[in-house]
Amino acid sequence: MAEEAILGYLATSEEIPDSGQFASQHGFQHNDVVNVIKSLHGFRYIDAQDIKRESWVLTDEGKKYAADGSPEVQLFLAVPQEGSISKDELQKKLEPSVFKIGCSQAGKNKWVDMGKQVSRKVQHVEDKVKDLLIRIQKGEALGKDDINSLKARKLIVAQTWKGYSVKKGPNYAPTRKKVATDLTRENLQRGDWKELEFKEYNFNAKGPPAEAGHLHPLLKVKQQLKNIFLQLGFEEMPTNNFVESSFWNFDALFQPQQHPARDSHDTFFLEVPSTTRELPEDYVKLVKRVHESGGYGSRGYMYDWKREEANKNLLRTHTTAVSTRMLYALAKQPFTPKRYFSIDRVFRNESVDRTHLAEFHQIEGLVCDKGLTLGDLIGVLNDFFSRLGMSKLRFKPAYNPYTEPSMEIFSYHEGLKKWVEIGNSGMFRPEMLLPMGFPEDVRVIAWGLSLERPTMILYGVDNIRDLFGHKVDLSLMKRNPICRLGID
Ligand code: PHE
């Protein structure tokens, strides 16, 4: 309908100057006219030029005053013609917002005397605000000052109206020919393809977005790290137990029972089931002894080791708990050197901020062999991290209950132009390895780092809550760029 009207109009007239006026003159919705214009323009039946007009519309507050009168006039009318009314009485007669705005505007206009008692200063007032609002509603144009004062009171807002002016296009015809979109078998058989007009390809049309799953950046970085470990000959450890006993998470690691990390401020303990069902009893005895009185050249911590403390279930605070179980199992076999890694979730009772969550992922690697030295650890770390694109490393002496020596790992960040801490490492203590049953000359070098840190750097995310957790930015999952570790 709108299409016939537009094409018909252009048959006798040069131009439709304004699609808005055209729509109202012919009784169409402007929206429908716009859609037809876009389509006819696409087939070049018409040429269309954008028109934009700023217009003003009433806000909800503006609409209220256009109907009920401005607050200042409502207030004025509530003040008696003679004598006065107390401010409290007056307030009761009006809506709170009308009272508040009315007081200030009527005072400014010098219509009333505002004190404890309110009285009129003039006998008649005009509701100019209401009149102006009604004129805007009718689509009348107002002067600059009037517009500015209504705008300042947030009674009107600007709205951009968009429409078109339209002329004949190169393919103009008074009615649209149906064009074929496909060449069919029937067209070929009948031979009518010779007469048919075919729709042109629109190479600028966007295809529909592909409906597909999207991998989370953490999963992508995890996969790349996995590949690096596998290239280096590491085997993956099974990490499928988030719940661990204190024994495997702490005690077997020679972490004393009074260590602050074992406090409920740092660790999530389970309420149900609160304790583990079984532990390897022979090994528990050896761990107890090494804590209490040492052995293997150590004095131990010299305290009363409590089984109840070791039995407590918790959410593992590091994947080193997994390494411990694996090393214990390895020590039971005739000795073979091993390289193990894991990448999985750990939990800490931390307060959450831009860079910390109560759960995150740890990457952990270890090498177990006879005669390894700190030099081997530094060498392996250099090899590993240079594959992540971090080739400038520095090491700082540190302390872990289960490693000696221990080193924090720093990498020079070219973007931030400073050294940033990226991980922690060390050589597992004899107090940890010997009770497991390893031969004396077996050494284990190990390191750990978070998966989130390199992922945030790689994807340029500066708030961890955009990456992980309930506030995660889903569009980041869908639109994230291809990022590769180790390539600048
Ligand atoms: N478990 C340590 C941590 O949570 C990392 C680490 C792993 C340190 C292995 C030394 C050896 O930070």
Side-chain angles (χ1 to χ4, degrees):
M1 291 236 299
E3 177 169 318
E4 286 154 26
I6 292 170
L7 291 175
Y9 189 89
L10 288 177
T12 53
S13 311
E14 168 96 355
E15 189 185 34
I16 298 173
D18 185 318
S19 57
Q21 280 168 10
F22 186 84
S24 56
Q25 277 159 13
H26 292 77
F28 297 125
Q29 291 292 324
H30 186 234
N31 222 3
D32 296 339
V33 170
V34 166
N35 286 337
V36 170
I37 289 174
K38 282 183 183 160
S39 161
L40 288 172
H41 182 63
F43 291 97
R44 309 181 70 197
Y45 276 76
I46 58 169
D47 278 339
Q49 296 288 330
D50 292 345
I51 329 179
K52 276 189 190 155
R53 261 201 306 271
E54 283 283 294
S55 67
W56 297 98
V57 290
L58 304 196
T59 59
D60 286 344
E61 192 183 350
K63 283 183 199 151
K64 242 170 70 190
Y65 302 161
D68 304 341
S70 67
E72 51 269 40
V73 168
Q74 291 188 48
L75 181 118
F76 179 82
L77 295 176
V79 177
Q81 287 190 343
E82 303 289 339
S84 63
I85 178 170
S86 78
K87 206 166 178 182
D88 290 345
E89 276 303 308
L90 186 58
Q91 183 162 14
K92 278 186 210 145
K93 293 174 111 182
L94 298 166
E95 259 180 57
S97 69
V98 170
F99 175 74
K100 196 168 155 248
I101 302 168
C103 282
S104 91
Q105 294 292 339
K108 234 193 260 170
N109 292 353
K110 303 205 166 58
W111 290 351
V112 289
D113 251 336
M114 297 290 303
K116 272 210 172 113
Q117 290 293 118
V118 184
S119 59
R120 289 189 181 184
K121 277 173 135 178
V122 292
Q123 277 318 311
H124 291 289
V125 295
E126 270 172 30
D127 201 343
K128 189 173 164 210
V129 169
K130 179 179 173 173
D131 294 344
L132 291 175
L133 290 171
I134 289 173
R135 283 173 60 195
I136 287 197
Q137 259 177 340
K138 287 190 189 148
E140 281 178 39
L142 300 188
K144 224 181 184 171
D145 291 347
D146 288 336
I147 289 288
N148 285 343
S149 80
L150 295 178
K151 204 166 73 175
R153 286 181 68 174
K154 295 202 170 66
L155 303 181
I156 57 171
V157 281
Q159 200 183 46
T160 321
W161 180 91
K162 284 183 193 150
Y164 295 95
S165 73
V166 175
K167 285 185 179 161
K168 280 183 193 153
N171 296 341
Y172 174 80
T175 48
R176 199 197 308 225
K177 257 187 259 162
K178 253 208 159 344
V179 286
T181 50
D182 263 325
L183 180 61
T184 64
R185 180 167 159 267
E186 287 75 24
N187 295 147
L188 292 171
Q189 282 173 338
R190 290 195 296 260
D192 61 3
W193 59 273
K194 285 180 213 155
E195 283 80 47
L196 279 179
E197 204 170 307
F198 287 94
K199 185 177 175 189
E200 277 178 41
Y201 282 111
N202 178 2
F203 293 108
N204 297 320
K206 288 202 175 110
E211 289 289 333
H214 299 272
L215 288 178
H216 190 285
L218 284 173
L219 288 177
K220 294 200 242 189
V221 176
K222 179 174 171 175
Q223 186 57 46
Q224 291 176 59
L225 280 154
K226 234 180 194 180
N227 291 343
I228 291 171
F229 274 117
L230 294 173
Q231 283 161 13
L232 291 168
F234 281 70
E235 288 169 47
E236 187 166 8
M237 296 185 270
T239 48
N240 54 350
N241 54 321
F242 291 175
V243 174
E244 189 49 276
S245 62
S246 295
F247 180 77
W248 290 109
N249 195 83
F250 293 126
D251 295 282
L253 282 147
F254 197 52
Q255 188 142 338
Q257 295 189 322
Q258 53 283 2
H259 192 282
R262 302 183 66 153
D263 203 274
S264 61
H265 295 294
D266 288 312
T267 300
F268 292 115
F269 287 95
L270 257 71
E271 279 176 9
V272 185
S274 62
T275 54
T276 183
R277 243 184 260 141
E278 54 185 40
L279 292 173
E281 295 305 330
D282 292 348
Y283 177 49
V284 170
K285 276 195 200 110
L286 297 175
V287 169
K288 173 180 162 72
R289 198 173 69 200
V290 79
H291 277 245
E292 290 186 336
S293 56
Y296 324 100
S298 167
R299 290 161 62 200
Y301 292 118
M302 297 186 277
Y303 73 102
D304 229 355
W305 186 88
K306 295 219 166 53
R307 175 62 182 262
E308 305 79 70
E309 206 49 52
N311 283 346
K312 286 184 185 168
N313 278 334
L314 44 74
L315 293 178
R316 70 173 174 226
T317 62
H318 53 184
T319 43
T320 316
V322 177
S323 305
T324 314
R325 280 181 181 269
M326 288 300 282
L327 287 170
Y328 172 74
L330 188 64
K332 291 219 158 315
Q333 312 291 325
F335 180 74
T336 30
K338 280 283 178 194
R339 283 175 253 195
Y340 284 140
F341 80 96
S342 68
I343 309 173
D344 210 339
R345 206 172 288 194
V346 300
F347 306 85
R348 290 187 190 170
N349 196 353
E350 294 204 62
S351 44
V352 170
D353 63 25
R354 296 183 74 76
T355 52
H356 292 89
L357 290 177
E359 54 188 296
F360 61 99
H361 297 78
Q362 268 190 341
I363 305 161
E364 175 139 332
L366 67 88
V367 183
C368 171
D369 202 351
K370 294 191 173 175
L372 292 174
T373 64
L374 193 67
D376 291 304
L377 175 58
I378 293 175
V380 170
L381 291 176
N382 273 315
D383 193 2
F384 174 78
F385 282 100
S386 66
R387 287 165 194 257
L388 309 188
M390 305 178 200
S391 43
K392 274 193 212 161
L393 295 188
R394 272 185 185 171
F395 305 101
K396 182 173 147 188
Y399 173 78
N400 294 309
Y402 39 92
T403 53
E404 183 60 37
S406 312
M407 304 188 301
E408 278 170 5
I409 311 161
F410 288 76
S411 158
Y412 189 74
H413 193 289
E414 298 292 347
L416 301 174
K417 295 259 176 283
K418 63 174 187 184
W419 292 91
V420 290
E421 195 198 328
I422 48 168
N424 186 357
S425 67
M427 302 184 71
F428 285 136
R429 296 183 76 107
E431 290 96 326
M432 168 179 167
L433 298 179
L434 294 176
M436 290 176 172
F438 278 115
E440 271 205 27
D441 51 351
V442 167
R443 303 281 179 272
V444 179
I445 56 180
W447 68 100
L449 62 147
S450 92
L451 177 63
E452 281 75 3
R453 181 53 90 73
T455 306
M456 286 171 72
I457 294 174
L458 203 58
Y459 284 83
V461 177
D462 65 0
N463 187 340
I464 198 163
R465 288 167 289 194
D466 291 335
L467 188 69
F468 194 73
H470 67 291
K471 286 187 181 166
V472 75
D473 176 3
L474 276 184
S475 67
L476 175 74
M477 309 302 123
K478 291 186 181 163
R479 287 205 298 270
N480 58 48
I482 296 173
C483 293
R484 281 277 167 260
L485 281 171
I487 302 172
D488 289 327

